[in-house]
PDB file of all heavy atoms in Angstrom:
ATOM      1  N   ALA A 123      27.288-177.333  58.385  1.00 96.00           N
ATOM      2  CA  ALA A 123      26.531-178.579  58.227  1.00 96.00           C
ATOM      3  C   ALA A 123      25.028-178.342  58.097  1.00 96.00           C
ATOM      4  O   ALA A 123      24.265-179.307  58.012  1.00 96.00           O
ATOM      5  CB  ALA A 123      26.805-179.497  59.419  1.00 96.00           C
ATOM      6  N   LEU A 124      24.614-177.093  58.076  1.00 96.00           N
ATOM      7  CA  LEU A 124      23.187-176.780  58.069  1.00 96.00           C
ATOM      8  C   LEU A 124      22.755-176.180  56.734  1.00 96.00           C
ATOM      9  O   LEU A 124      23.556-175.596  56.013  1.00 96.00           O
ATOM     10  CB  LEU A 124      22.868-175.794  59.195  1.00 96.00           C
ATOM     11  CG  LEU A 124      23.228-176.272  60.611  1.00 96.00           C
ATOM     12  CD1 LEU A 124      23.039-175.142  61.612  1.00 96.00           C
ATOM     13  CD2 LEU A 124      22.381-177.484  60.997  1.00 96.00           C
ATOM     14  N   GLU A 125      21.472-176.311  56.438  1.00 95.00           N
ATOM     15  CA  GLU A 125      20.927-175.770  55.182  1.00 95.00           C
ATOM     16  C   GLU A 125      20.591-174.291  55.354  1.00 95.00           C
ATOM     17  O   GLU A 125      19.435-173.891  55.450  1.00 95.00           O
ATOM     18  CB  GLU A 125      19.689-176.553  54.762  1.00 95.00           C
ATOM     19  CG  GLU A 125      19.976-177.959  54.290  1.00 95.00           C
ATOM     20  CD  GLU A 125      18.738-178.617  53.693  1.00 95.00           C
ATOM     21  OE1 GLU A 125      18.296-178.190  52.612  1.00 95.00           O
ATOM     22  OE2 GLU A 125      18.202-179.526  54.336  1.00 95.00           O
ATOM     23  N   LEU A 126      21.628-173.479  55.375  1.00 97.00           N
ATOM     24  CA  LEU A 126      21.498-172.050  55.593  1.00 97.00           C
ATOM     25  C   LEU A 126      21.842-171.270  54.327  1.00 97.00           C
ATOM     26  O   LEU A 126      22.589-171.742  53.470  1.00 97.00           O
ATOM     27  CB  LEU A 126      22.420-171.596  56.725  1.00 97.00           C
ATOM     28  CG  LEU A 126      22.047-172.081  58.119  1.00 97.00           C
ATOM     29  CD1 LEU A 126      23.224-171.934  59.077  1.00 97.00           C
ATOM     30  CD2 LEU A 126      20.832-171.313  58.645  1.00 97.00           C
ATOM     31  N   ASP A 127      21.334-170.049  54.260  1.00 97.00           N
ATOM     32  CA  ASP A 127      21.624-169.178  53.132  1.00 97.00           C
ATOM     33  C   ASP A 127      22.476-167.981  53.534  1.00 97.00           C
ATOM     34  O   ASP A 127      23.097-167.356  52.685  1.00 97.00           O
ATOM     35  CB  ASP A 127      20.317-168.690  52.507  1.00 97.00           C
ATOM     36  CG  ASP A 127      19.500-169.846  51.946  1.00 97.00           C
ATOM     37  OD1 ASP A 127      19.919-170.395  50.911  1.00 97.00           O
ATOM     38  OD2 ASP A 127      18.489-170.218  52.555  1.00 97.00           O
ATOM     39  N   LEU A 128      22.491-167.667  54.815  1.00 97.00           N
ATOM     40  CA  LEU A 128      23.311-166.586  55.333  1.00 97.00           C
ATOM     41  C   LEU A 128      23.428-166.748  56.838  1.00 97.00           C
ATOM     42  O   LEU A 128      22.649-167.470  57.458  1.00 97.00           O
ATOM     43  CB  LEU A 128      22.719-165.217  55.012  1.00 97.00           C
ATOM     44  CG  LEU A 128      21.391-164.843  55.665  1.00 97.00           C
ATOM     45  CD1 LEU A 128      21.265-163.320  55.787  1.00 97.00           C
ATOM     46  CD2 LEU A 128      20.225-165.359  54.844  1.00 97.00           C
ATOM     47  N   ILE A 129      24.427-166.089  57.418  1.00 98.00           N
ATOM     48  CA  ILE A 129      24.549-166.068  58.873  1.00 98.00           C
ATOM     49  C   ILE A 129      24.755-164.633  59.341  1.00 98.00           C
ATOM     50  O   ILE A 129      25.352-163.805  58.651  1.00 98.00           O
ATOM     51  CB  ILE A 129      25.705-166.956  59.393  1.00 98.00           C
ATOM     52  CG1 ILE A 129      27.049-166.513  58.813  1.00 98.00           C
ATOM     53  CG2 ILE A 129      25.444-168.418  59.112  1.00 98.00           C
ATOM     54  CD1 ILE A 129      28.242-167.217  59.442  1.00 98.00           C
ATOM     55  N   GLY A 130      24.228-164.342  60.519  1.00 98.00           N
ATOM     56  CA  GLY A 130      24.544-163.098  61.189  1.00 98.00           C
ATOM     57  C   GLY A 130      25.746-163.321  62.089  1.00 98.00           C
ATOM     58  O   GLY A 130      25.873-164.379  62.710  1.00 98.00           O
ATOM     59  N   VAL A 131      26.638-162.359  62.142  1.00 98.00           N
ATOM     60  CA  VAL A 131      27.816-162.450  63.011  1.00 98.00           C
ATOM     61  C   VAL A 131      27.867-161.194  63.870  1.00 98.00           C
ATOM     62  O   VAL A 131      27.842-160.067  63.377  1.00 98.00           O
ATOM     63  CB  VAL A 131      29.118-162.572  62.182  1.00 98.00           C
ATOM     64  CG1 VAL A 131      30.333-162.512  63.119  1.00 98.00           C
ATOM     65  CG2 VAL A 131      29.135-163.879  61.394  1.00 98.00           C
ATOM     66  N   GLY A 132      27.931-161.402  65.184  1.00 96.00           N
ATOM     67  CA  GLY A 132      27.986-160.253  66.069  1.00 96.00           C
ATOM     68  C   GLY A 132      27.803-160.665  67.527  1.00 96.00           C
ATOM     69  O   GLY A 132      27.737-161.856  67.827  1.00 96.00           O
ATOM     70  N   PRO A 133      27.724-159.719  68.416  1.00 96.00           N
ATOM     71  CA  PRO A 133      27.755-158.286  68.135  1.00 96.00           C
ATOM     72  C   PRO A 133      29.162-157.800  67.803  1.00 96.00           C
ATOM     73  O   PRO A 133      30.128-158.193  68.467  1.00 96.00           O
ATOM     74  CB  PRO A 133      27.269-157.659  69.436  1.00 96.00           C
ATOM     75  CG  PRO A 133      27.695-158.649  70.491  1.00 96.00           C
ATOM     76  CD  PRO A 133      27.561-160.002  69.858  1.00 96.00           C
ATOM     77  N   VAL A 134      29.276-156.981  66.773  1.00 97.00           N
ATOM     78  CA  VAL A 134      30.586-156.451  66.387  1.00 97.00           C
ATOM     79  C   VAL A 134      31.056-155.432  67.411  1.00 97.00           C
ATOM     80  O   VAL A 134      32.206-155.446  67.849  1.00 97.00           O
ATOM     81  CB  VAL A 134      30.506-155.804  64.988  1.00 97.00           C
ATOM     82  CG1 VAL A 134      31.877-155.271  64.585  1.00 97.00           C
ATOM     83  CG2 VAL A 134      30.000-156.811  63.961  1.00 97.00           C
ATOM     84  N   PHE A 135      30.161-154.545  67.804  1.00 95.00           N
ATOM     85  CA  PHE A 135      30.449-153.516  68.806  1.00 95.00           C
ATOM     86  C   PHE A 135      29.434-153.657  69.946  1.00 95.00           C
ATOM     87  O   PHE A 135      28.397-154.297  69.774  1.00 95.00           O
ATOM     88  CB  PHE A 135      30.337-152.119  68.185  1.00 95.00           C
ATOM     89  CG  PHE A 135      31.207-151.901  66.978  1.00 95.00           C
ATOM     90  CD1 PHE A 135      30.657-151.877  65.703  1.00 95.00           C
ATOM     91  CD2 PHE A 135      32.574-151.725  67.112  1.00 95.00           C
ATOM     92  CE1 PHE A 135      31.446-151.673  64.585  1.00 95.00           C
ATOM     93  CE2 PHE A 135      33.380-151.521  65.997  1.00 95.00           C
ATOM     94  CZ  PHE A 135      32.811-151.505  64.733  1.00 95.00           C
ATOM     95  N   PRO A 136      29.704-153.067  71.097  1.00 89.00           N
ATOM     96  CA  PRO A 136      28.703-153.080  72.170  1.00 89.00           C
ATOM     97  C   PRO A 136      27.402-152.461  71.679  1.00 89.00           C
ATOM     98  O   PRO A 136      27.401-151.518  70.893  1.00 89.00           O
ATOM     99  CB  PRO A 136      29.356-152.210  73.259  1.00 89.00           C
ATOM    100  CG  PRO A 136      30.821-152.309  72.989  1.00 89.00           C
ATOM    101  CD  PRO A 136      30.955-152.389  71.501  1.00 89.00           C
ATOM    102  N   THR A 137      26.282-152.999  72.128  1.00 79.00           N
ATOM    103  CA  THR A 137      24.986-152.526  71.668  1.00 79.00           C
ATOM    104  C   THR A 137      23.992-152.491  72.808  1.00 79.00           C
ATOM    105  O   THR A 137      24.078-153.306  73.734  1.00 79.00           O
ATOM    106  CB  THR A 137      24.437-153.426  70.536  1.00 79.00           C
ATOM    107  OG1 THR A 137      23.112-153.015  70.208  1.00 79.00           O
ATOM    108  CG2 THR A 137      24.413-154.883  70.943  1.00 79.00           C
ATOM    109  N   SER A 138      23.056-151.560  72.721  1.00 66.00           N
ATOM    110  CA  SER A 138      22.005-151.457  73.734  1.00 66.00           C
ATOM    111  C   SER A 138      20.757-152.234  73.334  1.00 66.00           C
ATOM    112  O   SER A 138      19.811-152.332  74.093  1.00 66.00           O
ATOM    113  CB  SER A 138      21.628-149.984  73.953  1.00 66.00           C
ATOM    114  OG  SER A 138      21.168-149.409  72.734  1.00 66.00           O
ATOM    115  N   THR A 139      20.744-152.809  72.122  1.00 62.00           N
ATOM    116  CA  THR A 139      19.560-153.529  71.662  1.00 62.00           C
ATOM    117  C   THR A 139      19.367-154.832  72.417  1.00 62.00           C
ATOM    118  O   THR A 139      18.257-155.276  72.666  1.00 62.00           O
ATOM    119  CB  THR A 139      19.665-153.820  70.150  1.00 62.00           C
ATOM    120  OG1 THR A 139      19.886-152.580  69.467  1.00 62.00           O
ATOM    121  CG2 THR A 139      18.395-154.454  69.621  1.00 62.00           C
ATOM    122  N   LYS A 140      20.468-155.488  72.771  1.00 61.00           N
ATOM    123  CA  LYS A 140      20.392-156.739  73.512  1.00 61.00           C
ATOM    124  C   LYS A 140      21.292-156.646  74.743  1.00 61.00           C
ATOM    125  O   LYS A 140      22.256-155.889  74.770  1.00 61.00           O
ATOM    126  CB  LYS A 140      20.867-157.912  72.639  1.00 61.00           C
ATOM    127  CG  LYS A 140      19.979-158.197  71.448  1.00 61.00           C
ATOM    128  CD  LYS A 140      20.501-159.404  70.680  1.00 61.00           C
ATOM    129  CE  LYS A 140      19.602-159.745  69.514  1.00 61.00           C
ATOM    130  NZ  LYS A 140      20.085-160.944  68.776  1.00 61.00           N
ATOM    131  N   LYS A 141      20.972-157.465  75.747  1.00 57.00           N
ATOM    132  CA  LYS A 141      21.842-157.554  76.914  1.00 57.00           C
ATOM    133  C   LYS A 141      23.034-158.433  76.557  1.00 57.00           C
ATOM    134  O   LYS A 141      22.894-159.581  76.149  1.00 57.00           O
ATOM    135  CB  LYS A 141      21.089-158.163  78.093  1.00 57.00           C
ATOM    136  CG  LYS A 141      19.960-157.276  78.608  1.00 57.00           C
ATOM    137  CD  LYS A 141      19.249-157.924  79.773  1.00 57.00           C
ATOM    138  CE  LYS A 141      18.126-157.027  80.281  1.00 57.00           C
ATOM    139  NZ  LYS A 141      17.408-157.639  81.426  1.00 57.00           N
ATOM    140  N   LEU A 142      24.223-157.872  76.709  1.00 52.00           N
ATOM    141  CA  LEU A 142      25.428-158.571  76.292  1.00 52.00           C
ATOM    142  C   LEU A 142      26.251-159.018  77.491  1.00 52.00           C
ATOM    143  O   LEU A 142      26.248-158.389  78.537  1.00 52.00           O
ATOM    144  CB  LEU A 142      26.292-157.662  75.406  1.00 52.00           C
ATOM    145  CG  LEU A 142      25.663-157.195  74.097  1.00 52.00           C
ATOM    146  CD1 LEU A 142      26.615-156.282  73.380  1.00 52.00           C
ATOM    147  CD2 LEU A 142      25.309-158.381  73.229  1.00 52.00           C
ATOM    148  N   THR A 143      26.970-160.112  77.313  1.00 55.00           N
ATOM    149  CA  THR A 143      27.907-160.571  78.322  1.00 55.00           C
ATOM    150  C   THR A 143      29.341-160.264  77.895  1.00 55.00           C
ATOM    151  O   THR A 143      30.276-160.598  78.595  1.00 55.00           O
ATOM    152  CB  THR A 143      27.755-162.091  78.532  1.00 55.00           C
ATOM    153  OG1 THR A 143      27.950-162.764  77.282  1.00 55.00           O
ATOM    154  CG2 THR A 143      26.377-162.413  79.056  1.00 55.00           C
TER     155      THR A 143
END
Side-chain angles (χ1 to χ4, degrees):
L124 302 172
E125 290 188 69
L126 291 163
D127 297 288
L128 66 154
I129 59 172
V131 174
V134 181
F135 304 105
T137 174
S138 59
T139 305
K140 294 182 178 181
K141 294 180 180 180
L142 298 178
T143 57

